Amino acid sequence: MFNSRIFTLYPDYFPGYLDKGLFGKAMRENIWKLETVNIRDYSEDKHKTVDDTPYGGGDGMIIKADVLARSLDQNVNPDEKIIYLSPKGRLFDHNYAKKLSKEKSVNLICGHFEGIDQRIIDTRNIEEVSIGDFILSGGEVAAFVVIDAILRYIPGVLGNENSSKDESFENGLLEYPQYTKPQIFEQKGVPDVLLSGDHAKIKDWRLSQSEAITRDRRPDLWQKYKRIKNN
Ligand code: SAH
C-alpha cells in the first residue's frame, strides 16, 4: 500500500477530493492511504504556538524547528521520504511523480507564513520540492498536486491501465487534440483522418500534431525530445 502522510496546520483540508472518484475507490481498496498530522498538536506551550518571528528581522512568521521536529520524529519511520513543499525546491514533474510512486511512504510538509526554520531541512534529510515558479500561501494545494500526480502512476488506481500512457509528457511530447460526439459542433467537424478507421494513419496524425504543439508551445520539451530522438 502506498502511504502518504501530510504535515499541516490545516488537516481539515484533507482528504478533499482525494476520497472521491477513482482515488476514493482505490483508497477504499487499500491501494493507498492518506494520513494527516496536525503540526500544532506538537506545540508544547499553552497557546499552542507554532511560529515565531525571523532572526535578523523581516516580514512574516516562521514555523518553529522544535515543533516541526517533534511532529516528524514521532510519525515518520526511518528511511521514509520526507518532502518540504517549497518554492525553492526542485521543480516537480511527471518523472519525479513516477519515481515517488515507487516509494512505500511519502511525507509531505506543508509550510505556511514565510516558511519553516532552515535547521529542520538541514537535519531531517528533507528534499525541497516546488510545483512551479509562483508563491502559494500554503503548501496544502501543492500537496494535493503532488499526491494526485503520484497516484496516477500507482497500479490499480486509474481504471484503465493504459489511460495514462498517451498523456502529455509520457513520450516527451504534449498530447494531440481530442474530439468526441457530436460529430458536428457549431458547424465544425472533426479531422477526417479520425473518422477513417485507418489506425496507422491516425497514429501518424496524432504524432505529428503532438510534435507541432510541443514545438510551438514548449521549446524546452521540444529540444529535449529532438535530442533523444536523434540518439
Ligand atoms: N518565503 C517563502 C515562501 C513561503 S510561501 C519564499 O520566498 O521562498 C508559504 C508556504 O507555501 C511555503 O512554506 C510552502 O510550503 C508553500 N508554497 C508556496 N509556494 C510554493 C510552490 N511554488 N511550490 C510548493 N510549495 C509552495
Side-chain angles (χ1 to χ4, degrees):
M1 189 195 313
F2 176 79
N3 185 18
S4 52
R5 201 179 287 119
I6 319 276
F7 293 79
T8 173
L9 294 171
Y10 298 94
D12 293 355
Y13 291 2
F14 298 92
Y17 74 97
L18 292 173
D19 69 351
K20 313 277 187 294
L22 290 176
F23 292 159
K25 186 164 169 278
M27 191 185 250
R28 288 187 293 278
E29 288 167 353
N30 295 322
I31 294 171
W32 76 288
K33 75 172 176 184
L34 180 95
E35 285 173 26
T36 51
V37 175
N38 188 346
I39 299 167
R40 197 173 296 280
D41 290 344
Y42 296 84
S43 172
E44 289 181 341
D45 69 51
K46 68 171 188 290
H47 303 293
K48 292 277 166 201
T49 310
V50 292
D51 57 333
D52 212 325
T53 52
Y55 278 116
D59 288 336
M61 303 294 272
I62 309 297
I63 297 184
K64 288 154 59 69
D66 54 340
V67 178
L68 196 48
R70 277 193 293 274
S71 74
L72 292 170
D73 297 348
Q74 292 178 35
N75 289 285
V76 178
N77 302 309
D79 301 334
E80 283 182 5
K81 184 103 199 148
I82 311 178
I83 288 173
Y84 167 46
L85 297 156
S86 156
K88 294 191 288 190
R90 68 175 277 183
L91 264 186
F92 186 66
D93 66 5
H94 78 112
N95 278 325
Y96 194 50
K98 209 181 271 184
K99 195 165 148 223
L100 289 176
S101 73
K102 303 201 168 76
E103 296 278 338
K104 267 187 74 139
S105 294
V106 172
N107 295 277
L108 299 172
I109 304 170
C110 305
H112 254 276
F113 320 115
E114 286 308 314
I116 65 179
D117 189 306
Q118 180 64 34
R119 290 168 294 180
I120 204 79
I121 300 169
D122 298 341
T123 57
R124 294 301 189 277
N125 197 17
I126 289 173
E127 181 158 27
E128 291 182 76
V129 173
S130 166
I131 63 158
D133 291 341
F134 40 78
I135 305 289
L136 300 165
S137 48
E140 285 74 14
V141 170
F144 278 112
V145 168
V146 168
I147 291 175
D148 185 319
I150 292 174
L151 288 178
R152 299 176 62 81
Y153 290 111
I154 293 183
V157 172
L158 291 188
N160 175 358
E161 292 295 330
N162 287 323
S163 64
S164 66
K165 295 222 169 68
D166 265 353
E167 308 271 23
S168 296
F169 309 117
E170 273 311 308
N171 56 359
L173 294 171
L174 302 177
E175 199 188 50
Y176 45 82
Q178 298 267 37
Y179 303 86
T180 186
K181 295 182 186 66
Q183 199 175 322
I184 307 288
F185 167 69
E186 295 182 352
Q187 278 108 50
K188 267 173 108 56
V190 307
D192 289 336
V193 59
L194 298 179
L195 306 171
S196 69
D198 183 335
H199 294 293
K201 243 163 99 188
I202 293 173
K203 208 170 152 207
D204 283 350
W205 180 83
R206 285 181 163 165
L207 179 61
S208 65
Q209 290 286 315
S210 274
E211 289 183 341
I213 290 169
T214 308
R215 192 171 48 227
D216 199 42
R217 297 186 186 168
R218 292 291 302 274
D220 55 327
L221 294 177
W222 180 244
Q223 290 308 328
K224 221 195 273 170
Y225 173 74
K226 273 204 315 198
R227 263 202 313 276
I228 292 167
K229 208 175 141 185
N230 293 334
N231 276 334

